[in-house]
Amino acid sequence: MTARPSSDTPSEPEVSARFRPAKASGSVPAGPPGKQPPGRPVPARRTPSGDTGVPSGAAGGSSRGPTGTRPAPPLDDGDRARLLRGEHHDPHALLGAHPVAGGVAVRALRPYARAVDVVADGSVTALDDEGDGLFSGVLPLAEVPVYTLRVRYGDTEGDDVVDVQDPYRFLPALGELDLHLIAEGRHEELWKALGATVLDHQGVTGTRFTVWAPNARGVRVAGGFNYWDGTALPMRSLGSTGVWELFVPEVGEGDTYKFDICTPEGHHTLRADPMARAAEVPPATASVVTASHHAWQDQEWLAHRADRPAHAAPFSVYEVHLPSWRPGLTYRQLAEQLPAYVTELGFTHVELMPIAEHPFGGSWGYQVTGFYAPTSRMGTPDDFRFLVDALHRAGIGVLVDWVPAHFPKDDWALAHFDGRPLYEPGDARRAEHPDWGTLTFDYGRTEVRNFLVANAVYWCEEFHIDGLRVDAVASMLYLDYSREDGQWAPNEYGGRENLDAVRFLQEMNATVYRRCPGVVTVAEESTAWDGVTRATHHTGPGGFGGLGFGLKWNMGWMHDSLEYMAKEPVHRKYHHDEMTFSMVYAYSENYVLPISHDEVVHGKGALVSKMPGDWWQQRANHRAYLGFMWAHPGKQLLFMGQEFAQGAEWSESHGPDWWLVDSSYTAADDHRGVRSLVADLNRVYRDTPALWERDTEPEGFGWVEGGAAEDNVFAFLRLDRSGTPLLAVSNFSPVVRENYRLGVPEAYAGWAEVLNTDEARYGGGGVRNTEVLKPEPVAAHGRGASVCPTLPPLSTVWFRPV
């Protein structure tokens, strides 16, 4: 799905009590010179392309004349022109205070000011008006003082005067180690170095702005605090790193901003911050200065998160699209409802569809523009932290969908960020993503790889996320993914593998697992790529080290099993192997069995609607399938709405059909019954180590009956590490099968039914095995003893030895 470009249309911001626009979308409102807020330059009118025209002599009027000063040495014409065009790499060399012969030269760039004074050591000294918003003078001082600027925007003395800090008196607020790590592509806490960071610098509070734009001629900061005219705030280039930096005093939390980038061709483009930790609510597109004040209360959860690896732990996941789960709720309101609901259903984890900022809601979050910013649709970053905290305190893990495979082409975001391909490859055959009309990342560029690896760490460390489900891994791994001959270029060995993407995924996984104990990474990978969940240092038969994921979605099981379930029972015997084939490769990777959002949209039908028969049979098939799924080796994932057999496809515009379980609906019991089954499946599952402890070990599974195609019956044993079994039997025919003989281990005196999807309270027919089944010394299925349970129609039954 192609992301719809977001609006960047000029709009008039409201002026807050601090004389800063409370809302802006990265545009410039026009305003008369006499009506500017104190200390804030009157905006120039911005053209639709984002270029700013700075009128010559904008300061207007005559100079106040020097008081104890003499004229500063004039700027070189080239430097002056580049400074005013926003193309200068080192504005701090031209602006601010610098020792010169006979004193200290001070130069300020304050477009539309009528006068500028220097306030130092209790004295006020007027600067000469050089025109074009430049004011300068040489103060008769022996050394550079600590000073402020007194700026007058009004036409008369005392009119609209404000004392401000001069951004150009400050040393760089980014350290040499940060720059070294950025250049090496090894800054694992990149968000602490780049972006907008509120801090105290040289005794002054403000915001440090830093951005990586190596191809830019110049970069300026534009925001609500300067009416989106960045003329007065050019940034400096920090050596060969491609990083630009500026500390802006008095700018703080809640201020909106973008970077005004001068491209190699001299054009200006206004861009949201790639490292922004917060953004405006779409369709507005500005970045927002933010800082966290959340006090975490999940210490106990984090302390025990790594006690057991995910592949050997109970792991059942409720997949949620937060904006539509309960439409209109904020993060904090969701924190009151979602943990309680998930706890009632017994899931161990929730998986949130992408919550990084995205302009088009119809992309469901899979076309990201703000990789470091939780979507503002439901609140602030700290509000999102509050939700994660609440889930942890309820004993529920949190996974988020992470999308490093591609990004949209919006011209205010990452695409051609500094006028050249930067985050995307320069070769269009690798840059274009043919399926979604987006751009892929340049995984071979160290800074881009660093941007993504640090982003994975960021979500885990800053938001205490317990797992990353990585979207569209297959599209990253193959150079010819969805491309025809001639549309792709092979790697250096002539192969189709994207070696840069392989190295990126290995580095990401290794870094996350090293830094974040207990976090799991999950790959949505739909091919037979070898070693997705193998350790990165273990080389496979194809010559590649493992990708290093903890778990992988089992797309093959999902497709095969749903194909089987969609058949009328009379035809299922011809497709019996679609339910057994998964055991051929079940231990090749650490698998999750996903019934995700992808399976209940775009005409595929909801899970219950995929089932054949009348309404009773559809629900029976639905319940039996869930029972089979929860018993099958692998972890479980179920998308919202499927837990109560919603019949309609999911729509992000209105979410689940909650009215189906409302007591006022006449058929509510049908849907509540399925929900009760899901809760019991999770309860028994968590209490039965045989169902999860050896998910990745062949010794944890044994077929009892895998070939009863004519009967549509499957029976198998699951075993925990002590050898204690659970017997799972599924009857996918619509008839009761009485005294159905099944071979069982001889060591147990009886087998009791612990879960039956046909129970009346789930909406079934109530066919039960109420008595303990006593084994008979009759050999069956290669075992010396057997039991003869009654198998309800279209059902799954679990038995535990007693």
Side-chain angles (χ1 to χ4, degrees), residues 623 669-677 680 683 754-766 768:
R623 295 191 306 268
D669 287 345
D670 292 351
H671 300 276
R672 289 181 170 185
V674 176
R675 189 169 64 179
S676 295
L677 169 65
D680 285 350
R683 176 181 54 79
V754 293
L755 187 137
N756 185 332
T757 66
D758 192 55
E759 280 195 47
R761 63 194 181 97
Y762 304 145
R768 300 287 309 279

Side-chain angles (χ1 to χ4, degrees), residues 105-158:
V106 179
R107 179 172 280 108
L109 178 57
R110 291 283 162 169
Y112 311 106
R114 303 307 190 204
V116 177
D117 300 336
V118 176
V119 181
D121 298 328
S123 63
V124 179
T125 306
L127 298 181
D128 291 330
D129 183 354
E130 295 184 356
D132 296 326
L134 287 165
F135 297 83
S136 66
V138 176
L139 282 63
L141 300 174
E143 59 184 20
V144 175
V146 174
Y147 67 92
T148 59
L149 298 176
R150 180 162 294 168
V151 184
R152 176 167 60 83
Y153 290 102
D155 293 325
T156 59
E157 290 288 342

Side-chain angles (χ1 to χ4, degrees), residues 2-141:
T2 303
R4 183 174 60 198
S6 293
S7 171
D8 202 16
T9 306
S11 58
E12 183 73 32
E14 298 174 1
V15 178
S16 72
R18 300 166 59 216
F19 300 100
R20 292 169 179 163
K23 289 291 178 183
S25 60
S27 56
V28 182
K35 295 300 183 181
Q36 71 282 2
R40 310 294 181 177
V42 173
R45 293 188 181 274
R46 188 176 299 278
T47 66
S49 65
D51 294 337
T52 302
V54 180
S56 177
S62 61
S63 168
R64 291 175 60 199
T67 303
T69 66
R70 59 185 175 84
L75 292 178
D76 174 82
D77 288 345
D79 280 338
R80 180 187 179 98
R82 288 190 294 126
L83 176 66
L84 295 175
R85 291 198 304 263
E87 298 179 8
H88 206 286
H89 71 288
D90 189 13
H92 290 69
L94 310 180
L95 303 175
H98 302 276
V100 296
V104 175
V106 179
R107 179 172 280 108
L109 178 57
R110 291 283 162 169
Y112 311 106
R114 303 307 190 204
V116 177
D117 300 336
V118 176
V119 181
D121 298 328
S123 63
V124 179
T125 306
L127 298 181
D128 291 330
D129 183 354
E130 295 184 356
D132 296 326
L134 287 165
F135 297 83
S136 66
V138 176
L139 282 63
L141 300 174

Side-chain angles (χ1 to χ4, degrees), residues 12 41 121 139 210 245 279 282 291 332 500 508 532 556 584 665 693 744 785:
E12 183 73 32
D121 298 328
L139 282 63
T210 47
E245 180 266 354
R332 290 182 180 268
D500 292 333
M508 181 277 296
V532 173
V584 173
Y665 177 53
E693 198 172 43
V744 293

